[in-house]
Amino acid sequence: MATGFRPVTDARQRQMAHPQAQAWWQALDCGFAPVADVFEECLYEALSSFSKPQMEAFIEAARYIGKLGRGPEPLLAFLEEWPAVAAAAGVDQQGLLPPVMSAIRAMQQSPNSKAITPFLQTLAAVARRLPSADQLRIYLDISQDLMARTSGSIHGHHTTFPSPALPEFFAQAPRLLGLLSTTGLRNWTEYGIRNYANHPERQVDYFSLQSADSHAVLQRERHGTLFADVERQLDLYLRALWRDSEQLVPYSTAQLTSGELRKPVPYYDHLGMRVPDVFDDVRGPDGEVSGLDRYRAVLAHMVGHRRWSQAQIADNWSPFQRMAVEFFEDCRVETLLMREYPGLSRIFLALHPKPLEDACDPETTSCLRHRLAMLSRALLDPGHGYGEPVLLDFVRCFHQMLAGRESSTAESATLALAYVTRTRRQSDQLARIHFDDTVIDYRDDNRQLWKFIEQGDEEEAFDEERKLEPGEELHGLPPRRYPEWDGASQTYRPDWVSVYEAMHASGSPAEIDRLLAKHAALAKQLKRLLDLLKPQDKVRIRYQEEGSELDLDVAVGSLIDFKSGATPDPRINMSHRSDGRNIEVLLLLDLSASLNERVGAGGTASGQTVLELSQEAVSLLAWAIDCLGDPYAIAGFHSNTRHEVRYQHIKGFSERWDDTVKARLAAMEAGFSTRMGAALRHAGHYLSHRQADKKILLLLTDGEPADIDVSEPGHLRADARKAVEELAAKGVTTFCLSLDPRADDYVRDIFGKRWRVLDRIERLPETLPSLYLELTR
């Protein structure tokens, strides 16, 4: 019987005076007397905070914890602490309870069930240091990672020992989070895992803060001003100085190490004002600024927008125009803030970068951001020292606009558009952009400045999710923006095309096996050619923790070390690589609607569609490349206006030629149009980063570039030609195999000498693999 278990008598249950308390007790279905002693008090605290659905979820979670077989302690901790956790997080417990229960289940199903009690006992104290659901989820992720990497196995031998570090980590977590941000906690934990994963005793010393190493790393990661330490002070600052009572919600800078694509910046929305969980002291151009003053600058700037800015309709403005409007409006609200509290000028100017006037070369680099950062500094700083006439002219106009009054966002926008018109340069379109001394990190992202009336052909139409056809659903990652070349003006249209990428749907891999069996005779011929091309000079790579075969010499040595009590070397495997070929290929398939056309009668493949022939050809090619051992990927694309170019992954470079890939290939479908330039740029984005001596982008298409939103003849052809030139500059060789018998003129214009037109489409299955062998000889 578990420690602390005493059956609850009927008399004890009758002591619960209120019928509702008795009903909840029966729903809890608990037999622990210590729990019955405090249940009514815990229940009333929960009822004062939770709705009925929340109470039901709370009791159901408690019921599960009470039946874990760990005695009354985990249940007591949960009943007493959970209302405080939900209150500290400031969110609906429905969104926070599932990840907490998931962590408890993971510990229960592993050897770490003893860690559940310290986890629950310190959860409320942790929540008070991490007052947002997002930060608490990061804390849960850190603890789950610690559990997974410090328990279950050692030196490659499967065992069932628990993590010695996990209970100590939970016990120290409130203290650690009083000293560290979530980023610092992740780094401190990672150091302990990496260095003591195979030393249980030293793990305990490190995670219980008993070792000198632990304290040294703690001091190294301890920096800056934690939001949790100054939250009350900032809340009073916001209320007293600015008469604003908006909720402050911290976001974690630890997200930068867990998949975030870009650094988060402050912003505000209907849920509150979002600020970083830690700010370091910084030295700016006009002196040092503390972390607390950085928080004050962020909040003051957002208050200025909330007080004086009005959203503008942005449907007909370009990204460059919007950027200029944001700079002018930021300076307007900061000027008004400094007018009300002159002491803010010291903080703003100390944090605002001061770009050198000649730091950007407009002949080789886009200087738009540099010019706007200089202008912003000049608008705020009377002693800026710049001498550029146009800049001085707009500084004068800006201060005239604000002379003795507040002005408006619309007037800022008018001045900004005039500035863009007067200072626009051809070099602003260049891909290389000057970023040094242009980031003003106390300003929010200005999402509140913009609103959109309708979606059309303007640049901003992709800022909101595109409305799809009824029943249609678009899956995958957020869109990636690409420029498009305008042959008429010889300039790029910036951020013009939205490419949505996703994993291709799956079908039946047996269909591809059937196609390969159909071409068995051709496969035999190819096999003989492949044997001649296949590299014979294999290189053995030893001392691998994972590999294709066992390295007997190292394995025997490790076994001897293990038997003698020494630490064995886990790198007991080896693998091989080919040393004579370093080629990587991406096969890009045009999946536009024209592939549904049937091949004309008279050929051996009469009655088949071009898509079916393409499936056969790509299957043979994939089989052939797999035999050679060259890394390769397969993707398809089609488009439905510039706002929706769909790029579908069929096989990745790291995937094997197996049933998973065959299933995607079997499900290939054709539809929509052919915006070729954007697809080439996106494919080149993946291929250009590969480490290979030779990188080949092989395009299979049946027509020239076209899309329903383009009427100018030759526009997309010129863009595709420009995309091929861009890829060549990155070391990517582009080759086109066209199935259009009338393609000679335009395909030569786009690809130069690297193309071939296949007049008899029915020969595609034998031509495509042979072409690959020629390209890679």
Side-chain angles (χ1 to χ4, degrees):
M1 187 174 296
T3 303
F5 178 82
R6 300 194 311 276
V8 178
T9 64
D10 291 341
R12 185 182 297 273
Q13 182 172 340
R14 284 196 297 272
Q15 289 175 4
M16 297 181 187
H18 199 286
Q20 187 178 18
Q22 294 182 20
W24 286 118
W25 174 255
Q26 291 176 357
L28 183 63
D29 190 20
C30 173
F32 293 118
V35 177
D37 292 339
V38 300
F39 178 74
E40 197 164 4
E41 182 180 348
C42 295
L43 182 67
Y44 291 149
E45 182 180 357
L47 286 170
S48 67
S49 304
F50 298 154
S51 63
K52 184 176 181 181
Q54 291 172 334
M55 279 299 303
E56 291 172 349
F58 171 60
I59 294 297
E60 179 60 31
R63 184 176 184 275
Y64 173 82
I65 293 171
K67 296 186 180 301
L68 293 178
R70 303 304 311 171
E73 288 81 8
L75 179 55
L76 284 169
F78 180 77
L79 290 172
E80 292 170 355
E81 301 291 338
W82 183 253
V85 173
V91 295
D92 183 349
Q93 69 148 339
Q94 301 278 24
L96 188 58
L97 189 57
V100 170
M101 294 306 298
S102 177
I104 293 173
R105 291 189 186 93
M107 286 184 272
Q108 175 67 12
Q109 294 166 6
S110 74
N112 296 284
S113 56
K114 287 185 178 180
I116 294 175
T117 299
F119 167 67
L120 289 171
Q121 287 172 338
T122 57
L123 191 58
V126 167
R128 283 189 285 271
R129 298 298 306 182
L130 301 175
S132 77
D134 289 340
Q135 289 185 300
L136 273 172
R137 290 189 186 97
I138 291 172
Y139 168 73
L140 295 176
D141 289 343
I142 293 171
S143 60
Q144 296 270 60
D145 183 57
L146 174 63
M147 180 180 72
R149 295 169 63 186
T150 57
S151 62
S153 64
I154 187 169
H155 303 321
H157 297 276
H158 180 70
T159 61
T160 56
F161 70 86
S163 165
L166 197 61
E168 305 295 339
F169 172 79
F170 288 139
Q172 298 295 333
R175 178 183 175 188
L176 290 167
L177 288 167
L179 301 171
L180 303 174
S181 66
T182 47
T183 303
L185 180 67
R186 188 190 294 278
N187 294 340
W188 181 84
T189 307
E190 178 65 27
Y191 183 94
I193 296 171
R194 191 170 61 249
N195 289 280
Y196 304 124
N198 294 327
H199 301 280
E201 298 84 1
R202 297 181 69 183
Q203 267 187 55
V204 173
D205 290 342
Y206 182 90
F207 285 95
S208 62
L209 291 174
Q210 299 298 314
S211 69
D213 203 11
S214 176
H215 283 279
V217 179
L218 181 64
Q219 290 302 319
R220 185 188 71 189
E221 296 298 332
R222 184 181 180 182
H223 60 84
T225 301
L226 299 179
F227 173 80
D229 289 336
V230 296
E231 179 182 8
R232 178 173 173 79
Q233 192 172 349
L234 293 174
D235 184 62
L236 291 173
Y237 164 79
L238 198 63
R239 294 170 183 267
L241 264 67
W242 303 113
R243 298 175 295 282
D244 196 320
S245 58
E246 186 60 80
Q247 182 178 0
L248 301 180
V249 183
Y251 58 78
S252 177
T253 52
Q255 293 173 356
L256 293 177
T257 61
S258 59
E260 289 292 313
L261 297 178
R262 66 185 184 92
K263 182 179 179 180
V265 296
Y267 66 96
Y268 66 86
D269 57 17
H270 66 285
L271 296 177
M273 301 169 76
R274 310 304 183 97
V275 294
D277 61 352
V278 61
F279 257 142
D280 290 330
D281 298 349
V282 296
R283 177 167 292 280
D286 289 350
E288 188 162 337
V289 184
S290 68
L292 180 59
D293 278 345
R294 292 181 69 186
Y295 276 118
R296 287 169 175 160
V298 168
L299 295 181
H301 181 85
M302 287 195 282
V303 165
H305 278 306
R306 289 161 62 86
R307 183 177 294 184
W308 292 302
S309 293
Q310 301 86 34
Q312 301 295 297
I313 298 173
D315 291 69
N316 293 316
W317 289 353
S318 72
F320 290 172
Q321 291 172 321
R322 286 174 58 186
M323 187 188 303
V325 172
E326 290 174 3
F327 271 86
F328 273 89
E329 181 64 4
D330 285 338
C331 291
R332 183 179 77 90
V333 300
E334 286 171 19
T335 300
L336 295 175
L337 291 167
M338 292 186 292
R339 184 182 294 175
E340 186 167 345
Y341 290 103
L344 279 173
S345 61
R346 177 190 65 82
I347 302 176
F348 284 151
L349 293 179
L351 291 173
H352 196 297
K354 191 172 184 179
L356 298 176
E357 197 162 1
D358 56 354
C360 181
D361 181 8
E363 298 298 324
T364 61
T365 307
S366 172
C367 298
L368 180 69
R369 289 181 60 89
H370 177 259
R371 293 200 306 274
L372 287 171
M374 283 176 52
L375 176 67
S376 177
R377 178 77 193 196
L379 295 177
L380 299 178
D381 181 10
H384 55 80
Y386 299 129
E388 205 272 319
V390 175
L391 180 145
L392 297 176
D393 190 21
F394 276 91
V395 169
R396 179 182 54 78
C397 293
F398 175 81
H399 288 297
Q400 286 179 353
M401 178 183 74
L402 283 169
R405 63 194 192 96
E406 295 178 354
S407 186
S408 67
T409 306
E411 290 181 81
S412 291
T414 302
L415 192 59
L417 297 180
Y419 176 81
V420 170
T421 302
R422 190 166 171 184
T423 61
R424 181 183 288 121
R425 298 176 180 175
Q426 182 65 34
S427 60
D428 291 343
Q429 309 285 346
L430 294 176
R432 182 181 176 186
I433 301 172
H434 182 89
F435 285 100
D436 295 342
D437 291 329
T438 64
V439 178
I440 309 169
D441 60 7
Y442 66 84
R443 292 178 175 173
D444 61 272
D445 64 4
N446 284 312
R447 64 182 64 187
Q448 75 285 344
L449 276 184
W450 307 110
K451 59 183 178 181
F452 300 91
I453 300 301
E454 60 182 351
Q455 295 173 330
D457 289 336
E458 295 78 22
E459 283 85 341
E460 288 71 39
F462 46 63
D463 285 337
E464 296 181 359
E465 185 178 357
R466 177 184 176 277
K467 185 177 180 181
L468 303 176
E469 297 174 5
E472 184 183 9
E473 188 174 358
L474 188 61
H475 300 281
L477 298 171
R480 187 179 179 90
R481 320 295 188 194
Y482 287 97
E484 191 165 88
W485 180 253
D486 185 347
S489 64
Q490 292 295 294
T491 59
Y492 284 103
R493 297 175 177 176
D495 293 341
W496 191 253
V497 184
S498 298
V499 177
Y500 291 82
E501 58 181 320
M503 195 66 69
H504 199 289
S506 296
S508 171
E511 181 65 21
I512 301 301
D513 291 331
R514 184 187 65 78
L515 295 177
L516 291 173
K518 172 183 175 182
H519 294 282
L522 178 57
K524 280 187 178 181
Q525 297 176 20
L526 286 172
K527 188 68 168 64
R528 287 194 290 270
L529 288 172
L530 295 172
D531 289 339
L532 296 176
L533 287 173
K534 194 170 184 179
Q536 301 301 319
D537 43 349
K538 295 283 187 180
V539 175
R540 183 174 60 173
I541 306 174
R542 303 184 66 188
Y543 298 103
Q544 304 288 303
E545 290 194 27
E546 296 183 1
S548 58
E549 57 185 274
L550 192 68
D551 191 330
L552 288 177
D553 292 340
V554 180
V556 170
S558 295
L559 182 60
I560 293 171
D561 289 342
F562 178 74
K563 295 289 187 181
S564 62
T567 302
D569 190 340
R571 301 172 301 165
I572 60 174
N573 294 304
M574 62 179 176
S575 57
H576 298 85
R577 65 174 173 83
S578 299
D579 199 35
R581 249 175 108 86
N582 191 8
I583 299 172
E584 300 206 17
V585 178
L586 194 153
L587 177 60
L588 184 61
L589 309 177
D590 171 7
L591 298 180
S592 57
S594 54
L595 265 68
N596 290 321
E597 296 177 2
R598 297 195 174 275
V599 178
T604 57
S606 176
Q608 284 185 289
T609 64
V610 179
L611 177 65
E612 291 168 341
L613 285 168
S614 298
Q615 279 181 315
E616 295 180 8
V618 173
S619 302
L620 274 170
L621 177 61
W623 169 82
I625 302 177
D626 190 64
C627 290
L628 277 173
D630 295 338
Y632 70 104
I634 305 173
F637 77 94
H638 54 222
S639 63
N640 182 20
T641 77
R642 69 183 181 89
H643 301 300
E644 187 188 329
V645 178
R646 300 189 183 189
Y647 185 97
Q648 297 175 313
H649 295 275
I650 297 173
K651 180 190 177 300
F653 284 104
S654 60
E655 289 186 287
R656 301 175 61 87
W657 171 245
D658 55 16
D659 284 350
T660 301
V661 174
K662 292 177 184 176
R664 296 182 199 136
L665 197 57
M668 275 173 38
E669 293 182 351
F672 301 105
S673 305
T674 313
R675 207 173 197 104
M676 189 180 292
L680 288 171
R681 289 186 180 92
H682 195 63
H685 161 72
Y686 286 107
L687 190 55
S688 62
H689 290 89
R690 304 291 298 177
Q691 299 297 320
D693 294 338
K694 192 172 186 178
K695 292 175 268 194
I696 299 174
L697 176 53
L698 179 55
L699 172 68
L700 178 62
T701 180
D702 71 328
E704 68 176 311
D707 211 338
I708 59 174
D709 62 339
V710 176
S711 57
E712 307 95 331
H715 168 68
L716 292 182
R717 188 187 302 181
D719 176 60
R721 180 174 65 249
K722 193 68 175 179
V724 171
E725 294 173 1
E726 294 167 11
L727 294 177
K730 295 178 180 179
V732 176
T733 300
T734 308
F735 192 97
C736 174
L737 177 59
S738 177
L739 308 181
D740 181 3
R742 302 177 298 278
D744 296 61
D745 292 337
Y746 67 79
V747 78
R748 181 185 295 108
D749 181 40
I750 296 172
F751 297 96
K753 297 180 179 180
R754 299 185 180 278
W755 58 274
R756 180 180 298 179
V757 173
L758 187 62
D759 294 323
R760 295 180 59 190
I761 299 178
E762 62 272 14
R763 297 188 59 187
L764 178 61
E766 61 186 87
T767 302
L768 187 59
S770 300
L771 173 62
Y772 175 80
L773 299 180
E774 291 178 21
L775 289 173
T776 59
R777 253 182 226 278

